[in-house]
């Protein structure tokens, strides 16, 4: 079992440190903020991630996970140091590496000879060299081990990954990092640093392109009167296409796809390469947000001025409390921008600062007096909401369900009007 330090207790850092500790390693999680460290040490998770809290309790109890806000304590003894710091988006769309660089610089003098610094954060091609330069030690190795976890399914994804990718200058170093995952049975890819870095961006961007295509096809289905669920299911039966990641929605979002598609575009452009499919997928995603706002506006007589719209769902998908780059917020901004007032309910969000948006404490409170209801996140609990109670609370009856989470026949029977695209005719 190895001694590991994990730098950063954000979403990636937490799942990495808890996951590696659960595999039996001695892990020290470091965060610059002592308050965050205390919360963790008390066995509390600062994020909502199903199943992760239980494992946190186990690894604290077994002593495999310790936490600290003193960097030297975390890294001095560590054989492997995982950097899991944020790589936010710069104004030009490229990834901002300043946290990665400052973490590398801060730890360099504490590292023992032979230590391997492993980058988990999603970083542009060439970042390993930047980390090597920031550390500036020939006796320390740098590897890339991109994470492929989905928020809301991180525990499952950690334990059952489709693959693990490690890139390093030598196969030996890459293998030493891969050995940390010896208890996990899955395809394992040992490669160069640049290849590992690119596998992550290429995967996320491919999935974003797939979803943009899915949303465009779903819009076409509605326009021609075809059933999008059946069309996409029929398409996914072709194993070359695959049946996952085929759910249409109000657009894709989250802390990864929007940032990573723009970063990949920016990386490619810096090498003089154009990636028109990615550029189009980003534009198609914005069109998906606009389509939802259009649908609501057209169903309410062509104007949102003076209208109140109830929204179910603020997070970028279900089973997370994360609203970063949420398509729900993008749609709400458009509704408000067109003169509407929005009252939203989300099981995990009790406050969100946006002029024109109020967050309600219950679905019925959000629906009260609303002209239309829009469902933007696929929370399972929305399925059991009482249609009659919600429609009775509303002043109108328009319901736009972008995630197909409500039982349309039950809601229609209760008086809901699910508008189809009012600008097109069925054929
Ligand atoms: C994504 C990738 O799926 C992970 O493999 C990757 O590790 C992660 O980014 C990352 O780079 O850290 P995540 O952002 O947690 O994971 O969310 P996804 O489950 O991929 O969903 C992204 C967006 O696509 C959400 O807005 C979701 O609602 C939407 N989506 C997903 C759909 O609209 N339909 C689908 O069928 C699937």
């Amino acid at each position: 079992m190895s001694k590991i330090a994990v730098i950063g207790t954000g979403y990636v850092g937490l799942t990495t440190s808890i996951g590696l500790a659960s595999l039996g390693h001695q892990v020290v999680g470091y965060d610059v903020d002592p308050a965050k460290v205390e919360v963790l040490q008390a066995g509390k998770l600062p994020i909502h991630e199903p199943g992760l809290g239980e494992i946190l309790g186990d690894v604290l109890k077994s002593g495999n996970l310790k936490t600290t806000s003193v960097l030297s304590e975390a890294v001095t003894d560590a054989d492997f140091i995982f950097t899991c710091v944020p790589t936010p988006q710069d104004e030009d769309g490229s990834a901002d590496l300043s946290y990665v660089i400052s973490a590398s610089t801060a730890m360099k003098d504490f590292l023992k000879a032979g230590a391997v610094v492993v980058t988990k954060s999603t970083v542009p091609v060439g970042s390993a060299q930047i980390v090597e330069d920031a550390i500036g030690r020939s006796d320390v190795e740098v590897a890339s081990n991109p994470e492929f976890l989905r928020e809301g399914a991180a525990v499952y994804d950690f334990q059952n990954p489709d693959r693990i990718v490690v890139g390093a200058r030598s196969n030996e170093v890459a293998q030493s990092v891969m050995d940390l995952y010896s208890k996990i049975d899955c395809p394992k890819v040992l490669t160069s640093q640049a290849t590992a870095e690119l596998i992550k961006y290429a995967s996320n961007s491919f999935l974003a392109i797939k979803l943009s295509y899915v949303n465009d096809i779903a819009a076409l289905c509605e326009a021609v009167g075809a059933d999008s669920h059946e069309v996409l299911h029929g398409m996914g039966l072709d194993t070359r296409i695959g049946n996952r990641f085929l759910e249409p929605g109000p657009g894709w979002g989250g802390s990864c796809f929007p940032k990573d598609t723009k970063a990949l575009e920016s990386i490619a452009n810096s090498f003089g390469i154009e990636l028109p499919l990615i550029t189009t997928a980003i534009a198609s995603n914005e069109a998906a947000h606009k389509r939802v706002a259009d649908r609501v506006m057209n169903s309410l007589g062509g104007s949102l001025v003076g209208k109140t719209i109830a929204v179910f769902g603020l997070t970028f998908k279900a089973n997370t409390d994360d609203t970063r780059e949420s398509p729900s917020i993008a749609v709400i901004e458009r509704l408000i921008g067109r003169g509407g007032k929005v009252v939203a309910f989300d099981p995990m969000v009790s406050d969100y600062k946006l002029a024109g948006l109020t967050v309600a404490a219950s679905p019925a409170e959000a629906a009260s007096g609303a002209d239309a209801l829009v469902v933007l996140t696929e929370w399972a609990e929305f399925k059991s909401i009482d249609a009659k109670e919600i429609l009775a609370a509303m002043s109108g009856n328009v319901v736009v369900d972008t995630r197909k989470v409500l039982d349309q026949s039950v809601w229609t029977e209760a008086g809901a009007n699910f508008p189809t695209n009012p600008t097109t005719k069925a054929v």
Side-chain angles (χ1 to χ4, degrees):
M1 291 299 119
S2 299
K3 290 185 176 160
I4 297 174
V6 177
I7 309 301
T9 58
Y11 182 81
V12 175
L14 278 175
T15 44
T16 302
S17 49
I18 297 170
L20 288 169
S22 75
L23 294 178
H25 301 295
Q26 293 292 316
V27 180
V28 182
Y30 162 82
D31 201 287
V32 70
D33 181 355
K36 278 194 188 168
V37 169
E38 253 175 56
V39 167
L40 275 178
Q41 202 54 50
K44 292 197 195 103
L45 267 187
I47 55 167
H48 172 76
E49 184 58 46
L52 195 61
E54 286 81 343
I55 307 179
L56 171 65
D58 293 346
V59 293
L60 286 173
K61 207 164 147 203
S62 69
N64 281 359
L65 178 67
K66 299 209 162 24
T67 56
T68 180
S69 57
V70 180
L71 185 61
S72 57
E73 269 179 25
V75 303
T76 310
D77 269 348
D79 304 309
F80 299 90
I81 301 92
F82 282 76
T83 44
C84 303
V85 295
T87 50
Q89 196 174 307
D90 253 341
E91 273 166 24
D92 63 358
S94 64
D96 172 359
L97 286 180
S98 55
Y99 294 108
V100 175
I101 295 169
S102 58
S104 307
T105 313
M107 73 172 91
K108 67 179 181 188
D109 293 331
F110 302 123
L111 300 171
K112 68 179 185 189
V116 184
V117 176
V118 188
T119 307
K120 263 274 172 201
S121 315
T122 305
V123 291
V125 181
S127 298
Q129 179 69 58
I130 293 173
V131 173
E132 280 172 355
D133 292 346
I135 292 173
R137 283 183 48 177
S138 56
D139 59 346
V140 169
E141 295 287 344
V142 169
S144 163
N145 172 213
E147 61 84 24
F148 299 100
L149 310 172
R150 291 163 300 163
E151 289 188 24
V155 171
Y156 178 86
D157 286 351
F158 186 89
Q159 292 165 346
N160 307 278
D162 286 341
R163 78 296 208 194
I164 298 174
V165 175
V166 179
R169 278 197 188 278
S170 76
N171 226 36
E172 200 188 344
V173 171
Q175 186 63 56
S176 71
V177 177
M178 195 63 94
D179 287 345
L180 299 174
Y181 300 101
S182 58
K183 287 188 179 163
I184 296 179
D185 182 21
C186 71
K188 293 179 174 166
V189 181
L190 294 182
T191 184
S192 69
Q193 294 158 327
T195 304
E197 288 163 349
L198 201 49
I199 287 173
K200 175 60 191 275
Y201 278 114
S203 303
N204 271 5
S205 297
F206 183 84
L207 291 168
I209 290 171
K210 184 173 182 182
L211 287 179
S212 280
Y213 181 72
V214 160
N215 286 331
D216 287 348
I217 291 295
L220 176 64
C221 288
E222 294 221 6
V224 303
D227 182 323
S228 60
H229 180 78
E230 285 179 19
V231 168
L232 293 162
H233 173 70
M235 210 176 95
L237 290 173
D238 184 328
T239 52
R240 293 169 301 174
I241 296 173
N243 58 12
R244 294 168 68 193
F245 250 69
L246 287 179
E247 294 294 335
W252 40 265
S255 62
C256 306
F257 287 179
K259 173 171 75 67
D260 293 353
T261 43
K262 291 208 179 86
L264 187 56
E265 214 184 12
S266 154
I267 295 166
N269 292 346
S270 73
F271 283 89
I273 307 270
E274 297 213 343
L275 297 175
L277 279 179
I278 292 181
T279 310
T280 305
I282 295 169
S284 147
N285 201 40
E286 279 158 20
H289 304 150
K290 179 174 177 294
R291 256 192 316 262
V292 180
D294 287 349
R295 162 89 31 114
V296 178
M297 192 173 81
N298 293 343
S299 318
L300 293 179
S303 168
L304 293 178
V305 177
K307 305 284 186 199
T308 302
I309 299 121
V311 160
F312 287 175
L314 288 169
T315 53
F316 79 97
K317 62 175 182 178
N319 302 321
T320 176
D321 56 358
D322 199 342
T323 51
R324 284 176 292 175
E325 298 279 338
S326 172
S328 176
I329 301 296
V331 170
I332 290 170
E333 281 172 345
R334 284 177 186 273
L335 296 172
I336 293 170
R338 295 179 191 194
K341 189 176 135 240
V342 175
V343 186
F345 169 74
D346 187 289
M348 288 304 297
V349 184
S350 55
D351 187 30
Y352 192 94
K353 301 258 168 301
L354 178 67
L357 167 67
T358 311
V359 181
S362 69
E365 188 185 318
S368 174
D371 298 285
L373 164 66
V374 191
V375 182
L376 293 170
T377 310
E378 74 285 18
W379 283 104
E381 40 264 74
F382 294 162
K383 287 184 199 299
S384 52
I385 284 176
D386 185 342
K388 286 196 186 119
E389 186 196 348
I390 297 299
L391 288 159
M394 289 172 62
S395 65
N397 69 344
V398 167
V399 178
V400 176
D401 181 5
T402 66
R403 301 276 194 175
K404 298 271 184 288
V405 67
L406 306 179
D407 185 330
Q408 200 161 327
S409 56
V410 170
W411 279 73
T412 305
E413 195 158 313
N417 162 26
F418 287 86
T420 50
N421 191 337
T423 56
T424 49
K425 299 186 206 89
V427 290

